[in-house]
Amino acid sequence: MRGAMSAKWVAMAAVVALAATACGGGDDKDSGSKDMNKGTADPNGILTAQLSEPQNPLQPANAKESQGSRVIRSVFSQLVGYEPGTGKLTYVNAESVTPNKDSSVWTVKLKPGWKFHNGEAVTAQSYVDSWNWSANVKNNQTNSSWFQDIKGYEDVHPAKGDPKSDKMSGLKVVNDNEFKIELASSVSYFAYKLGYDVWSPLPKEFFKDPKAAGEHPIGNGPYKFVSWDHKKMIKVRKFADYQGPDKPKNGGIDFVNYTTADAAYSALRSDTLDWIEQIPTTALTNYKSDLGARAIDQEYSAVQSIVPAFYTKQFKDIDPKVIQGLSMAIDRNTITKTVLHGSRTPADSYVARGVLGYKPGALKEQVTYDPAKAKELVKEGGGVPGNKISIQYNADQPHKEWVDAVCNSIRKALDIECVGDSKPDFQTDLNARDKHQVKSMYRGGWVLDYPVNSNFMRDLYGTTSAGNTSGYSNKEFDKLSKKADEAPTLDETVKLYQEAEQLLAKDMPAIPLWFYKVNSGQSKNVLGKIPYGQDGDPIFTDVQVKKK
C-alpha cells in the first residue's frame, strides 16, 4: 500500500527509532539554502505537491494506495494519531478509546463540537454508518476487509452471495458522542489500527450519492475538498472551523499530476512545484548539490519487494525454493550502492525498520546474494516455468533503472530471461494487480498504515486481506495471525508475529528488496524544513509557505 498516517510514530522498547526530522544534504552556500528560514509565513499561502492520479474515487475505504490516501488524509481526520518524537498514542477526533479486560470490546468517546465541512455534526452515528457501509460487500470498497475484526462482519460481507444484514452486530451507538465496538475475538492492538484512513466518519450526504461523494468528498479534516481535474490536479483548502490539534499553517494544497519523475523534478528546480515525491534516478547523484539544504534524505517505514502472481500458471504451484533462489540471485548491495546511489538500504525483513516488532536479520540467507546457491535452489524446486520472468512496474515513478538492474542480476546468476513490464502510471499498474492481470511478478511497495509488525504481514499476506493482490494463501499463516491478534498483550502479539515471519521466510510470498528512504526536495517557496512522518509523507499541515 499505500496508505498510512502522516507523521505518526509508536516508540516502545522494541521499536527502532528513526530520525524525527528530515536531514538535508548538499552545500549550504546554495543561494536557495541561505534563504530557507528567511521571510514571513503566509497563513493563506498555497502549497503545490506532486500526486499521481488516485486509483479509485476518494471514498475513505477505497484507497489502499498512497496517492488517493494522501488526499483522503488531508480531507478526513481519524479517531487517533501518534505523537511525533515520543510515539505516544494520541487522540484526534476521539476523547478516549478504551478496551475491556480482554480487548474484545472497545468504547469510543468523541470530542464534542466537531463538524463536517458541510456543517453537519460529527457523531457516533457518523462512524457507525460509515463502517457499516464500507464493510458491505455490495459497495465494493477495496479496503472492506479492514472491518473483519468486528463482530457481524460476515453478515454484511459474506464470502459468497448477498449480505444478510446492512449492519454489523458489533457496532452499538450509546449516544451522540459514544459508541461501542465488539470484536469477533480479541485484538490487543486494535486502537492503533484506528488511525488509518478506512475508519473515517461519513456525513449523511455521502449515503445519498456515494459515487458523487467519491468525486467531491466531504470530510471532517484540516482541509476542505475543492475540486478534482482528473489526471491534472486536486485542490484542497484550509477548513476554518477545524477542531483538531493539527490546524493547517498554510491555506491549502494543490496536488499536481506529473507523468514522469523527471518532469516533476524540473518543476521543483524552477520553483513551480513545492514538493516532489521522489527524486528521479537520473538525478540521485547530483540532487543534493542542486538543492543544497532543500534536499531530503531520510529513511521511513516502507519496504519494496517483487511479488509473484500466484494465480498465474507460472507460480500457482511453485516450490518456494524457486522463489528463494530468485531472491538469492539479486545483488542488493551492489544495486543499492550503484544504480540507486545509496538511496535505499537492503532489506533483511518483511517488516520495515522503525515498526514495533521489526527484527534485524529476520531474513538472512534468503536475501544474501549467492549465485551458486540460487542456481541450486531453483534446480531443486523444479526450475522457473518457461525459463523467463517479467516484473511489472509503473513508469510514472523512477523504477525502470532498478528493475533492469534486478533483471540483469537474475539473468546473470540463473541464466533465465528477465524483463521489465512497464505500465504508464500507478493507476494502470494497480488496476492490473486488482484484476489479476499480472503476467508474472510485480513491483510491491508497502508503507505502514499503523506501526505494528502485523501490518506488514497479516494485512499483506492474509488470505482475505485487502493488501493481498497476489493470490497467496497459507492456512498455517492465517491461523498463527489469528493467534497473535488474540494474544492478551501487545508484546505477545508482536512476538507471535515474529514467529509468523519465519513461516513467511520459508514460504516466500514476496521477495523483499530494500527499505525506502525519502529522497525528495522542496522549493524556495517553503519557509524552513518540511517535516516528515514515519510514512515518508510531509506533515502537510505543518508546512509554511512564504509570503510573496
Side-chain angles (χ1 to χ4, degrees):
M1 157 142 193
R2 141 34 195 163
M5 289 295 294
S6 58
K8 312 308 181 187
W9 175 263
V10 171
M12 300 182 187
V15 176
V16 179
L18 300 180
T21 57
C23 54
D27 186 359
D28 282 343
K29 293 179 181 179
D30 174 80
S31 59
S33 304
K34 287 181 180 179
D35 297 332
M36 278 186 66
N37 295 303
K38 293 182 180 179
T40 305
D42 181 356
N44 296 312
I46 304 302
L47 181 77
T48 57
Q50 183 186 8
L51 187 85
S52 297
E53 178 75 357
Q55 182 189 15
N56 295 320
L58 296 171
Q59 300 156 323
N62 216 6
K64 66 183 174 191
E65 41 80 25
S66 58
Q67 308 303 307
S69 184
R70 189 172 293 147
V71 180
I72 287 170
R73 288 198 307 272
S74 71
V75 176
F76 290 89
S77 284
Q78 304 307 314
L79 292 166
V80 304
Y82 314 97
E83 188 176 272
T86 68
K88 179 183 177 183
L89 189 71
T90 61
Y91 296 116
V92 184
N93 198 176
E95 192 171 86
S96 63
V97 180
T98 310
N100 65 349
K101 189 175 181 180
D102 69 353
S103 299
S104 64
V105 179
W106 296 74
T107 299
V108 177
K109 293 185 179 179
L110 302 178
K111 294 175 182 175
W114 275 57
K115 302 285 185 183
F116 285 106
H117 300 152
N118 64 354
E120 179 187 327
V122 179
T123 67
Q125 197 68 52
S126 308
Y127 281 94
V128 169
D129 287 347
S130 172
W131 299 359
N132 279 325
W133 186 90
S134 298
N136 195 307
V137 67
K138 287 188 173 182
N139 297 322
N140 197 32
Q141 297 294 283
T142 190
N143 274 337
S144 57
S145 66
W146 277 77
F147 301 99
Q148 63 187 343
D149 291 325
I150 299 174
K151 186 178 180 180
Y153 172 78
E154 67 280 359
D155 292 331
V156 301
H157 200 109
K160 294 181 180 179
D162 292 333
K164 298 176 182 177
S165 174
D166 59 0
K167 295 180 177 62
M168 290 181 281
S169 59
L171 297 178
K172 303 289 184 185
V173 172
V174 177
N175 56 50
D176 279 353
N177 293 314
E178 183 178 341
F179 65 102
K180 291 184 180 294
I181 310 163
E182 183 179 357
L183 306 181
S185 56
S186 303
V187 179
S188 62
Y189 57 94
F190 187 73
Y192 290 95
K193 300 181 76 169
L194 295 177
Y196 184 38
D197 318 343
V198 71
W199 306 98
S200 303
L202 290 170
K204 294 175 183 176
E205 189 171 326
F206 173 92
F207 305 102
K208 296 176 183 178
D209 191 342
K211 185 177 179 180
E215 291 292 316
H216 197 291
I218 298 169
N220 65 326
Y223 295 101
K224 184 176 182 177
F225 181 88
V226 175
S227 63
W228 184 359
D229 189 357
H230 284 274
K231 297 195 174 182
K232 293 181 180 178
M233 185 184 294
I234 294 175
K235 293 184 178 183
V236 298
R237 294 295 181 262
K238 177 167 58 179
F239 179 45
D241 296 327
Y242 181 59
Q243 299 297 311
D246 52 337
K247 289 180 169 55
K249 296 178 181 178
N250 53 63
I253 310 166
D254 286 348
F255 291 107
V256 186
N257 186 287
Y258 288 86
T259 54
T260 68
D262 287 298
Y265 185 57
S266 294
L268 180 77
R269 293 191 66 190
S270 65
D271 295 312
T272 55
L273 178 66
D274 296 326
W275 174 75
I276 186 174
E277 184 171 24
Q278 178 66 43
I279 297 294
T281 307
T282 52
L284 281 173
T285 55
N286 57 14
Y287 85 101
K288 291 181 181 179
S289 58
D290 287 346
L291 301 176
R294 293 184 291 112
I296 307 299
D297 182 9
Q298 175 190 339
E299 190 168 316
Y300 66 104
S301 294
V303 180
Q304 184 144 279
S305 59
I306 51 176
V307 186
F310 290 99
Y311 49 81
T312 62
K313 185 182 291 186
Q314 183 177 41
F315 287 107
K316 188 174 183 181
D317 297 308
I318 200 78
D319 188 319
K321 288 182 179 179
V322 175
I323 306 175
Q324 289 172 17
L326 287 170
S327 179
M328 295 175 72
I330 300 169
D331 188 351
R332 293 165 178 77
N333 287 328
T334 298
I335 294 171
T336 53
K337 287 176 183 176
T338 58
V339 178
L340 295 171
H341 306 287
S343 65
R344 301 286 184 269
T345 304
D348 61 356
S349 170
Y350 279 101
V351 179
R353 296 201 293 197
V355 172
L356 183 63
Y358 162 72
K359 189 174 182 179
L363 299 178
K364 294 178 182 177
E365 65 274 7
Q366 300 94 335
V367 293
T368 300
Y369 180 56
D370 188 338
K373 183 66 174 177
K375 186 171 287 189
E376 180 183 325
L377 284 168
V378 170
K379 185 177 180 180
E380 288 177 6
V384 175
N387 209 40
K388 178 181 179 179
I389 62 169
S390 62
I391 302 172
Q392 179 179 297
Y393 66 94
N394 53 301
D396 57 347
Q397 288 294 330
H399 300 304
K400 183 181 187 302
E401 289 80 5
W402 70 255
V403 169
D404 287 347
V406 165
C407 274
N408 287 337
S409 187
I410 290 173
R411 194 182 297 116
K412 184 178 178 181
L414 299 177
D415 195 27
I416 68 167
E417 184 57 31
C418 178
V419 295
D421 181 9
S422 171
K423 302 301 176 187
D425 52 40
F426 196 30
Q427 184 183 44
T428 306
D429 175 31
L430 290 169
N431 286 338
R433 298 188 212 175
D434 288 347
K435 294 176 182 178
H436 282 192
Q437 294 173 345
V438 176
K439 299 170 186 175
S440 178
M441 307 181 83
Y442 61 86
R443 176 198 74 85
W446 192 258
V447 185
L448 87 168
D449 300 310
Y450 56 94
V452 181
N453 60 352
S454 58
N455 184 228
F456 286 80
M457 286 185 275
R458 175 192 166 183
D459 295 324
L460 262 180
Y461 306 117
T463 300
T464 60
S465 296
N468 184 346
T469 55
S470 70
Y472 173 76
S473 180
N474 184 313
K475 290 181 180 179
E476 187 180 349
F477 173 75
D478 292 339
K479 185 178 179 180
L480 188 52
S481 296
K482 190 173 189 298
K483 181 181 178 183
D485 288 348
E486 294 175 356
T489 67
L490 182 58
D491 282 345
E492 291 176 81
T493 291
V494 166
K495 288 177 182 177
L496 285 168
Y497 269 111
Q498 288 175 331
E499 289 182 26
E501 184 171 15
Q502 290 309 301
L503 190 155
L504 295 181
K506 295 177 182 177
D507 219 18
M508 295 296 285
I511 298 174
L513 296 176
W514 36 74
F515 298 128
Y516 277 90
K517 284 185 180 180
V518 179
N519 299 108
S520 180
Q522 61 188 66
S523 79
K524 296 175 183 176
N525 302 321
V526 176
L527 182 64
K529 277 283 189 184
I530 289 179
Y532 283 78
Q534 194 188 355
D535 66 347
D537 263 9
I539 307 173
F540 283 116
T541 53
D542 279 353
V543 178
Q544 298 183 83
V545 179
K546 290 182 181 180
K547 187 173 287 186
K548 296 178 181 178

